[in-house]
Structures are given as C-alpha cells and as structure tokens.
C-alpha cells in the first residue's frame, strides 16, 4: 500500500540530506539507512518542515554477524494530515548508542526505555534511562538473539 | 495446604463451652452454622491480571451472576476468603501475589482460573512468566481452559463448597490435581459436577482420540451440503488451538 | 501562563527541587487495584490531595510475546496475537495477518475482506461496551451505583460474543483469521443473529448514553479532567479515539484503508474537548457508527471463496522473505496497532526474525504523567479509564 518514501518528499529531503536521499536509483524498500549523526536532524526536519508530527514507534533489532553484534534502530513517524508513514533505520555497532528523540517527541520517553530494556540499545541524553518492563535488577536483554528464551529466574521460575 | 484440619476455626470460647453441661450440643449447632456460612458466603478476591479476568468479570456480571451463590467480589485481600487467580503471573508480579495471599485471613482458599494460572499456558517457557501459580500459593480448585467459559467459575465454586463441607465435617479431602499432571480417568471428577457418566466416558474417549464409543467415528457429510473443495478444506482446518 | 503542556509539565521532575516547605507524600496505587484495568502501578507524589508528579510502572504483565514470536511460525502466531489485547482479539488477529499478507503480497478475497470488516466493527462494539461498563464502574464505584451500567453493558456484550461463537466456536481467542483470508465461513442464520443483536443494541444505546450525560456527577467528574492538548497528543503518539478526542482528524479506516473500508464510507467522530468527557463522546459516537457499518454490510457480503491460499495443513507452510522489513498498521478499537515485521527467521524463514508490536495502549499510558498533574487522587481512575488501556497490550 505505502512505499517508504514518496517521490515529492524525497526530492525535498534530498536538498537537506544529499548523502542519503540524492543517491542513484530507488531507495531501500525496507527503509532508508541514515547515519547515526543525522538521526536527530532528520527527525527534526520531518517534524517541523514536513508535518510528520505523530510519533509512531521505535524498533531496535539485534543482528549477530560473523564480525560481532550489530543493531538496527528503526523510527516510524506519521503525518496526521495525509496519514502517510515514514520510517528510516540507523545501523549501530557492538556498543549501541544513539541520540534520544525525547526533546522532539514526548512519546519517545517510554518507547526508548522499552527498547533499552529489551534490546539494550542505550539512548544518549535520555532523562530517565531505566528498565520499563522488567524489574530493575534484571540481568541481560531478552530480545538479543543470544538470550535464551527460558532463562531461569529463581525463585520464581 | 489451604484446607487444614480445622484448627483455624477454633475460638477460646470453645473450651469454655465444651466443659459446661449441655455445651456440646450448642457447639455442634455452632459448628453447623459456621460450616453453612463459610460455604455460602465466600468472598472472592480477584487476582485478575489478564484475559481470564475479562471472563471472570463476565461471570460476575449479568449472565452468570456469581452473586446468586452468595459471593461478593471485594478487591481487598483482608476481607476475602477465596483468591481467584485469573491470568498470567509474571516474575515481577509473583512477589505481590504472594504478599496478597499472605494478607488474606485464615481460612482461605485459592482457585486457579485458566491455563496460564495452572501451568503458564504457552508462555510457560518464557523468561518472565511463572509456570503456574501453584509455584507460589497452594491451589484448591483448577479451572482449565483458555479462557474457561464464564459458567465454569460457577462449577468451580460448587466444587470448592463441596470441598469445604467435607473438610469441615472432618472427612478426607482428596487434593485436586493440576490438570497437566492428571491421568485420564480423573478428568470427569474435575470438570462439570453435573456431568453424567456417559458424557464423561465420551469425553474421555474423545480425549484419547478414539471417537465416541471407542471406535473410529466420523460423521459423513451429506452430499448436498458439500462445499467446493477449496472452501471445504478451509472450513475443515479451523481447529482451535 | 500560556506555555504548551509539554513545557509546563516535566514528568521527570526532581522532587528535591520542589519547595521544601511543601509536605509531599508518596502514594502507591496498584499493581493490584481494581481500577487500574489489570496490573498497573502508579506512584503518585501528592501535595495534600493534588498530584505533583505521577510515575507509572508498567510491566507486571510482561509475557515476552515478542521473544515468543521469534520462536513460533507465522501460522502459529495468530492465537498468540489474540492474547495481547484481550478485549479486542479479532482486530489483533487482523493486524498480524494483514502484516503477513502485505509482506508476502497475498491478495484477500472480497468476501473475506467484507467478513473481516464486519468482525472488526462488531469487535469495536464489544470492546467499547466493555470500556463503557468499566469506565462508569471506575467513576461510580461498585457501591456508588457505577455497577448498574456495567451490568447493562455486559448484557449487551454477550449477544456479540454469541455471534462470534456461532462463527468460530469460541467466545474469545477466536483464531479465525489466516494468511490470505478467513478460516470459518458464515454459518446459516448468522446474518439474522447479527441483525437482531444490532437492533437490540441500537434501541438501547441512547438509554445508556443518557444515563451518563444527564448525570451531573458524571459530568463534573469528566469535564475538564485529564486534558491532553493536541500537540502533546501527537508527540506522545496517541492514536484512535484518544487522538480524535484531542482534535486530530485521523482514522486509518478512512485515511489508509484496509479490509473493505475503501468501499464504504466511514464517518469519523472528532472532538476538540481534549478531556475525559471528549474521549467519552468520541467512543459513544464510534459505537453508533459501528452499528451503522455493520447494518450496511451484513446484507451485502459478496459470494466467493474466503481464503486465497491453501488452508493450513502444516505449521511452516508460510515462509517469509529474508531480510525484508516492513511497518504495517491498522485501526483497532484502541487506535493504531502496528507491527514491524522482519522476515527470514528460524525454521527456514517460517518464523519472523523480529516482530515488534506497536501497541496503542502503551502510548496512551505514556500520557498519564502529563494528564494527571494538578488533579486529585480520585481523578486518576477517571483519566485512566477514559484512556482505555489494556495491560496485556501495554506490557505484552
Ligand atoms: S489462560 Fe488463556 S485466556 Fe487465560 S490468561 Fe492465559 S492466555 Fe489469557
């Protein structure tokens, strides 16, 4: 139904982010890959100039590779007037750190805490980077591929 | 065990009465009264966490109406006799469940409603789920199902009343087994109390995969109703998990 | 004085900076509290009875569903999805199956799309009825008369569940959708049962509405309480009725159609009130609209197959393409339920590699620290009830 980026938006964005959007050919259908340094700037531009004011979600994923752990953080925004969603991805290395979107979107508060809790991506400058779902003393990050699904937690299981 | 030998009913006045002439008669009458009221005014504490809680609410609401059995649902542990654990218990919740159970005054009973409370359902193997609430508290009656039908709460209540009666009469009460660990012949005793022997046998056979009457049994489909093969197979495959 | 709500309220307020003369008290609400809609804990910092800061602690029902999704194949996932939002299992199944269908490029037959639309609207009605009952129960209290409306709404909800039972054999947790269509075809007499049920509900709805809006106590407890201003609602990612009550005209049924919504007209209810009462109004209006849609569609279900793929025979018959990622969202009774799906997991791609659920309730809960500040303790349940969170979906 919806491609990740519609052409008019891509053209407008190419002026500001030539590295990402002015490349040859089609953009990655899975979502544009953006350098971590541009993460906040892109979100700010989308929110303030293109009307993507609805904060939808943030998704962190763990990809273990032969060279070591890698992570991907995808962010989804939506334009409430056209109902068009927009998402992009940031690739991170073995020690995942990414700037927070909390100053731009209040909803990022809990969403980023949840991803920190389950995947272990650290969002820098977040005012309150605690676990959200699991108890404070939990060890490990359950949604990492190396975490066993049936990890015991004495005395309860 | 939640059902103990009845010592928790003991009151200092008992000794006084027992020793006074004719007091024994009064005591037995009082015992009967206690027994009656304990059975017919069970107050429920809803330890309601997830989906089964909705079905428990339905049981309390218009159609099943638990109130007709003299129960009141009170969200305060200190007022209640029966804890109904309806829903998944997680590692984060487990200490709270234990604490709430400890706050309930004796005598107290527990009902585990739904497969999550019984054994953890398919969340059983997950890092954050307690595999069955009987890891934490002793359970008297299990209601199997995901979720159990609302009227099964009523059946469980009857089973509990029966157990309380036996126990207060000083009879031996067999412990209900967790359905997962049950051997087949016990299925009938645990489920619907009004179930007849034939129905129980049919259910038992069905559970063993034999079909009704111990034979391979299949109802042939009348030719007129037969749907085209694609749609037919589709509706065939609708087994509930 | 005219600061935006976001700037006015700091959910991470450092209490040491508050005037030392203020006699602050911390009050813990939950996790076992009858009005928290499940197991939610809120820590309230009070000055007298006024809330200075509210810190919700979710996670008491964290069942690790996203981890489980990586271990189960796509066919096995449908019954798991029933259990997140256990008040609206139908729409949850649809969210999963639409995500899988879009990733695989599978077409759904027209009959199945119509059936899905009817089921979604019926589910919306059942969900909103349960919300209306519990919301008024929270506000009125069991003893204070709140339970009377709850009894009525549960009575109305039963026929809808019976209709579902006729179709699928289950009261809830239906497992009636599959990739490419539905599993259970419409049985004889189903349309008549749905119509009877809708007629009954349509006749009684005005009465229930009147019970609330003519009650001055109800109005006092809802008007001007729990305000979430439009920019903040957008920033937080509120969706569905909560967002529409904050004055944003966004409904995925109309704006990004799925099922058969592109063939029918959906009237979207919007209110500019931003408060608890506005959320009440929007949901009531949605219920009337759902009744209208069901009545319109129930006689026009087209003939044809109900599934475009082969019926389910083995658990790993559906394979997802490796490395493909996608965000798909549909409108459920609670708002935008999205799934971020990455294909190519275990079992040679039959399991998703990662499946993140975007729960509308979690975003609604995140509004609490903003909406509660300045109100009294008794308003907590009113605000919480009006946001209609389901803890199964918040914690997953
Ligand atoms: S047994 Fe089934 S219905 Fe009950 S809480 Fe568990 S998953 Fe939900």
């Amino acid at each position: 139904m919806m491609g990740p980026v519609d052409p008019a938006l891509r053209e407008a964005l190419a002026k500001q982010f030539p590295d990402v959007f002015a490349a040859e050919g089609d953009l990655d259908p899975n979502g544009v890959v953006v350098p971590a340094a541009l993460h906040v700037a892109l979100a700010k531009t989308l929110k303030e100039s293109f009307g993507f004011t609805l904060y939808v979600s943030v998704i962190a994923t763990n990809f273990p590779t032969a060279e070591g752990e890698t992570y991907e953080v995808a962010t989804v925004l939506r334009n409430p007037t056209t109902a068009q969603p927009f998402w992009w991805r940031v690739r991170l290395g073995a020690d995942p750190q990414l700037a927070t979107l909390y100053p731009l979107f209040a909803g990022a508060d809990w969403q980023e805490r949840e991803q920190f809790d389950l995947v272990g991506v650290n969002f820098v400058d977040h005012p309150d980077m605690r676990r959200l779902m699991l108890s404070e003393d939990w060890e490990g990050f359950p949604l990492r591929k190396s975490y066993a699904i049936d990890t015991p937690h004495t005395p309860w299981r | 065990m939640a059902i103990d030998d009845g010592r928790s009913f003991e009151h200092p006045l008992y000794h006084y009465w027992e020793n006074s002439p004719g007091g024994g008669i009064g005591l037995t009458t009082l015992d009967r009264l206690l027994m009656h009221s304990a059975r017919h005014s069970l107050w429920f504490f809803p330890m309601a966490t997830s989906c089964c809680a909705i079905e428990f609410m339905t049981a309390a609401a218009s159609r099943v109406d638990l109130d007709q059995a003299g129960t009141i649902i009170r969200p305060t542990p200190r007022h209640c006799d029966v804890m109904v654990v309806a829903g998944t218990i997680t590692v984060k919740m487990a200490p709270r469940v234990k604490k709430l159970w400890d706050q309930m005054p004796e005598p107290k009973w527990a009902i585990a409603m739904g497969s999550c409370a019984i054994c953890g359902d398919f969340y059983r193997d997950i890092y954050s789920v307690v595999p069955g609430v009987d890891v934490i508290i002793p359970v008297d009656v299990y209601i199997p199902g995901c979720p159990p039908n609302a009227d099964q709460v009523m059946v469980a209540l009857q089973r509990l009343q029966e157990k309380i009666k036996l126990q207060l009469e000083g009879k031996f009460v067999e412990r209900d087994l967790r359905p997962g660990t049950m051997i087949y012949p016990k299925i009938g005793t645990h489920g619907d109390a009004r179930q007849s022997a034939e129905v129980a046998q049919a259910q038992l056979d069905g559970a063993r995969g034999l079909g009704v009457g111990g034979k391979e049994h299949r109802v042939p489909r009348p030719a007129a109703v037969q749907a085209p093969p694609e749609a037919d197979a589709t509706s065939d495959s609708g087994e509930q998990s | 004085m005219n600061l935006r709500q976001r700037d006015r309220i700091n959910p991470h307020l450092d209490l040491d900076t508050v005037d030392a003369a203020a006699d602050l008290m911390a009050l813990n609400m939950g996790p076992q509290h009858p009005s928290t809609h499940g197991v939610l804990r809120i820590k309230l910092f009070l000055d007298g009875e006024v809330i200075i800061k509210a810190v919700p602690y979710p996670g008491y029902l964290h069942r690790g569903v996203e981890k489980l999704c990586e271990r189960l194949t796509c066919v096995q996932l449908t019954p798991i999805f029933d259990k997140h939002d256990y008040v609206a299992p139908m729409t949850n199944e649809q969210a999963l199956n639409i995500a899988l269908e879009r990733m695989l490029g599978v077409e759904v037959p027209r009959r199945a799309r119509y059936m899905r639309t009817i089921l979604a609207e019926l589910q919306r009605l059942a969900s909103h009825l349960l919300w209306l009952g519990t919301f008024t129960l929270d506000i009125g209290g069991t003893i204070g008369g709140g339970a009377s409306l709850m009894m009525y709404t549960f009575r109305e909800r039963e026929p809808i569940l019976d209709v579902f039972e006729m179709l699928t054999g289950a009261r809830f947790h239906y497992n009636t959708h599959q990739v490419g269509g539905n599993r259970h075809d419409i049985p004889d007499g189903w349309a008549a049962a749905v119509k009877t049920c809708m007629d009954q509900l349509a006749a009684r709805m005005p009465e229930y509405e009147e019970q609330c809006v003519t009650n001055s106590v109800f109005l006092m407890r809802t008007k001007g309480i729990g305000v979430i201003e439009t920019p903040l609602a957008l920033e937080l990612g509120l969706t569905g009725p909560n967002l529409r009550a904050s004055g944003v005209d966004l409904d995925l049924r109309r704006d990004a159609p799925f099922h058969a919504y592109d063939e029918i007209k959906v009237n979207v209810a919007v209110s500019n009130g931003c408060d608890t009462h506005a959320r009440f109004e929007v949901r009531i209006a949605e219920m009337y609209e759902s009744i209208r849609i069901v009545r319109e569609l129930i006689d026009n279900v087209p003939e044809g197959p109900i599934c475009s793929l082969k019926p389910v025979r083995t658990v790993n018959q559906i394979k997802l393409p490796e490395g493909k990622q996608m965000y798909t969202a549909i409108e459920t009774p609670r708002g935008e339920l999205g799934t971020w799906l990455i294909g190519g997991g275990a079992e040679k791609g039959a399991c998703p590699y990662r499946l993140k659920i975007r729960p509308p309730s979690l975003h609604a809960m995140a509004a609490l620290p903003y909406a509660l500040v300045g109100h009294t303790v008794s308003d907590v349940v009113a605000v919480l009830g009006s946001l209609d969170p389901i803890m199964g979906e918040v914690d997953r």
Side-chain angles (χ1 to χ4, degrees):
Chain A
M1 172 193 64
M2 42 196 164
V5 184
D6 86 333
L9 177 63
R10 180 181 174 185
E11 213 162 277
L13 279 171
K15 295 203 185 85
Q16 289 204 28
F17 302 97
D19 303 351
V20 184
F21 292 96
E24 291 284 304
D26 281 348
L27 293 176
D28 191 346
N30 296 333
V32 207
V33 178
V34 173
L38 293 182
H39 178 62
V40 178
L42 178 60
K44 197 171 163 76
T45 315
L46 283 169
K47 183 187 174 191
E48 284 164 9
S49 316
F50 298 99
F52 283 86
T53 45
L54 179 64
Y55 182 78
V56 178
S57 199
V58 56
I59 304 104
T61 316
N62 172 218
F63 290 95
T65 56
E67 291 87 60
E69 304 274 299
T70 58
Y71 296 84
E72 255 185 43
V73 179
T75 312
V76 188
L77 301 181
R78 192 186 282 278
N79 184 336
T81 331
T82 62
Q84 188 69 31
F86 182 91
W87 62 80
W88 71 93
R89 297 180 290 156
V90 179
R91 295 222 165 101
L92 300 171
D95 177 25
Q97 311 265 353
L98 188 64
T100 176
L101 289 187
Y102 175 66
L104 286 171
F105 294 103
D109 184 357
W110 280 29
Q111 293 298 309
E112 291 178 351
R113 268 177 73 188
E114 192 200 355
Q115 296 309 306
F116 166 72
D117 183 356
L118 301 179
V119 189
V121 175
N122 198 1
F123 289 89
V124 184
D125 290 341
H126 188 285
D128 188 20
M129 197 90 270
R130 284 179 298 125
R131 284 186 180 272
L132 185 70
M133 294 297 173
L134 302 168
S135 46
E136 290 282 299
D137 56 354
W138 199 276
E139 283 170 13
F141 301 103
L143 285 186
R144 288 191 177 175
K145 296 288 170 185
S146 54
Y147 192 92
I149 191 168
D150 51 0
T151 305
H153 191 90
T154 47
W156 306 113
R157 58 159 288 122
Chain B
M1 278 295 283
I3 297 183
D4 58 11
D5 53 4
R7 272 162 47 84
S8 46
F9 282 83
E10 199 164 296
H11 191 271
L13 268 179
Y14 268 38
H15 295 288
Y16 176 75
W17 270 12
E18 230 170 5
N19 297 334
S20 58
I25 300 168
L27 255 190
T28 42
T29 322
L30 185 67
D31 257 355
R32 292 187 85 85
L33 186 69
L34 272 181
M35 189 161 51
H36 183 84
S37 37
R39 269 192 296 137
H40 294 283
S41 66
L42 292 171
W43 286 27
F44 277 22
F45 174 63
M47 189 59 248
T49 58
S50 53
C51 350
C52 280
I54 305 293
E55 209 60 355
F56 183 70
M57 275 160 77
T58 317
S62 342
R63 188 181 274 185
V64 178
D65 193 9
L66 273 180
D67 281 11
Q68 61 180 298
T71 63
I72 291 182
I73 294 174
R74 290 291 293 167
T76 320
R78 290 178 186 82
H79 296 177
C80 293
D81 312 302
V82 185
M83 179 188 256
V84 183
V85 185
T88 325
I89 302 298
T90 59
V91 166
K92 201 171 173 184
M93 194 64 194
R96 272 84 182 174
V97 177
K98 181 87 176 76
K99 186 173 257 174
L100 289 163
W101 172 254
D102 290 343
Q103 283 176 1
M104 282 169 63
E106 289 278 352
K108 56 190 172 187
W109 298 274
I111 295 178
M113 180 176 179
S115 16
C116 277
I118 294 172
C119 65
D121 207 5
F122 41 52
Y123 304 110
R124 183 183 173 83
D125 285 339
I126 290 179
Y127 53 91
S128 66
V129 174
V130 176
V133 73
D134 45 12
V135 170
I136 321 169
I137 61 172
V139 176
D140 294 297
V141 181
Y142 297 90
I143 320 177
C146 177
N149 231 333
D151 42 8
Q152 288 299 312
V153 182
M154 205 58 158
V155 177
L157 178 66
Q158 287 167 0
R159 169 77 183 130
L160 186 63
Q161 287 177 337
E162 187 188 307
K163 274 184 110 168
I164 296 170
K165 179 157 179 266
L166 286 174
Q167 184 251 317
L168 291 185
E169 282 171 355
K171 301 220 176 82
F172 172 70
V173 188
E174 194 182 347
R175 195 184 188 301
D176 275 16
L177 289 177
R178 183 198 255 215
T181 57
M182 236 190 273
I183 48 171
Y184 279 126
K186 292 232 166 160
I187 287 177
T189 62
H190 181 263
D192 192 340
R194 295 158 300 188
Q195 218 172 41
S196 69
E198 297 93 87
V199 176
Q201 186 60 40
Q203 186 182 341
L204 192 56
D205 291 343
R208 284 172 178 159
L210 292 176
V212 178
K215 286 195 209 82
E216 185 71 28
H217 182 82
R218 191 167 264 174
V219 184
R221 210 175 244 268
V225 195
Q226 236 157 26
E230 189 69 49
D232 171 38
T234 313
S235 51
D236 252 357
S237 61
E239 82 269 1
Q240 299 287 314
S241 76
Chain C
M1 212 49 241
N2 258 336
L3 277 177
R4 285 157 63 236
Q5 198 174 6
R6 172 89 200 265
D7 303 330
R8 218 165 54 219
I9 295 165
N10 176 13
H12 305 294
L13 179 72
D14 187 359
L15 288 173
D16 294 340
T17 62
V18 179
D19 181 9
D23 193 9
L24 287 191
M25 184 177 91
L27 181 71
N28 203 25
M29 195 171 167
Q32 214 296 318
H33 186 280
S35 298
T36 52
H37 286 230
V39 277
L40 169 70
R41 176 173 155 224
I42 314 176
K43 205 166 176 184
L44 303 166
F45 294 93
L46 307 171
D47 179 11
E49 213 194 342
V50 177
I51 298 165
I52 303 286
K53 178 185 174 185
V55 190
Y57 291 84
Y60 287 92
L61 191 52
H62 178 68
R63 301 193 270 198
V65 169
E66 285 171 12
K67 189 78 175 174
L68 185 62
C69 287
E70 294 169 10
R71 296 304 170 99
L72 296 179
T73 64
C74 298
V75 175
Q76 292 171 317
L77 280 182
T78 312
I80 309 285
F81 258 68
D82 276 336
K83 281 135 193 165
H84 305 160
D85 178 352
Y86 35 80
V87 176
M90 268 311 173
T91 43
N92 271 38
E93 289 180 7
Q94 290 169 355
L96 169 75
N97 284 298
I98 284 194
L100 294 173
E101 280 153 11
R102 293 228 174 114
M103 178 166 270
L104 295 164
V106 175
E107 275 295 312
V108 183
R110 193 145 171 269
R111 182 178 175 83
R113 285 194 286 127
Y114 266 73
M115 279 170 66
R116 286 182 178 188
T117 315
I118 295 174
L119 292 177
E121 293 304 324
L122 284 172
Q123 186 66 78
R124 178 167 285 107
L125 276 170
S127 167
H128 281 1
L129 277 171
L130 191 131
W131 159 81
L132 181 60
T134 48
F135 178 54
T136 47
L137 180 70
D138 289 350
I139 288 190
T142 327
I143 312 291
S148 44
L149 191 52
M150 181 204 138
M151 289 291 166
Y152 290 127
T153 57
F154 268 77
R155 183 185 67 183
E156 301 312 332
R157 190 174 161 262
E158 287 294 320
I160 299 181
L161 296 192
D162 287 348
V163 162
F164 286 152
E165 196 174 344
M166 270 175 86
L167 183 75
T168 68
R171 274 169 59 83
F172 58 97
H173 300 342
Y174 311 104
N175 195 9
T176 180
H177 295 83
Q178 68 182 42
V179 178
N182 286 23
R183 284 187 183 195
H184 307 102
D185 207 344
I186 297 181
D188 286 348
W190 194 71
V194 172
K195 269 186 266 180
T196 323
C197 158
M198 285 303 107
D199 291 347
Q200 233 177 45
L201 190 55
R204 288 171 181 168
M205 267 306 294
E207 192 186 326
Y208 302 149
E209 190 188 350
E210 210 165 289
Q211 279 195 23
C212 297
V213 294
T214 56
N215 185 335
S216 54
V217 178
F218 180 85
L219 295 182
M220 272 159 64
R221 292 210 53 187
T222 51
K223 284 214 163 145
I225 304 292
V227 174
I228 305 172
E229 290 166 5
T230 314
L232 181 72
L234 286 167
E235 273 191 21
L236 283 168
L238 290 196
T239 42
N242 295 334
L243 184 65
R244 291 193 280 277
S246 287
V248 182
D249 191 1
L250 174 69
D251 189 328
L252 297 186
R253 288 182 290 168
R254 183 199 57 198
D255 300 330
F258 48 94
H259 300 340
Y261 286 116
D262 46 355
E263 299 178 25
I264 55 171
K265 187 173 177 332
V266 182
N267 301 315
V268 179
V270 184
S271 166
N272 283 322
C274 303
D275 58 357
T276 303
H277 193 258
R279 294 191 272 276
F280 166 81
E281 280 175 346
V282 166
R283 285 206 177 85
I284 294 284
E286 278 191 2
M287 286 167 75
Y288 285 117
E289 178 66 9
S290 292
I291 296 176
R292 189 191 65 77
I293 294 178
V294 173
R295 279 174 159 178
E296 185 185 320
L297 289 185
I298 191 71
D299 284 328
N300 303 327
V301 182
E303 290 298 322
I306 56 164
C307 187
S308 59
L309 291 191
K310 281 208 223 66
V312 176
R313 284 282 177 251
T314 56
V315 289
N316 45 12
Q317 69 185 38
I318 289 169
K319 303 263 197 284
L320 294 176
E322 178 148 7
K324 203 164 172 189
Q325 312 199 0
M326 200 167 185
Y327 178 78
T328 324
I330 71 163
E331 181 91 13
T332 72
R334 253 154 283 281
E336 174 180 341
L337 179 65
T339 44
W340 179 270
L341 184 61
I342 306 184
E347 299 281 332
K348 302 199 188 73
C351 307
Y353 184 84
R354 168 107 162 87
L355 204 161
K356 150 99 186 179
I357 302 143
R358 186 254 181 226
S361 296
L362 179 60
H363 289 257
M365 298 300 312
L368 276 184
Y370 295 93
L372 290 181
V373 171
H375 294 305
T376 55
V377 180
S378 55
D379 293 329
V380 175
V381 289
V383 176
L384 187 61
S386 74
L387 288 171
D388 193 17
I390 293 298
M391 294 319 286
E393 200 181 49
V394 173
D395 301 342
R396 283 156 296 137

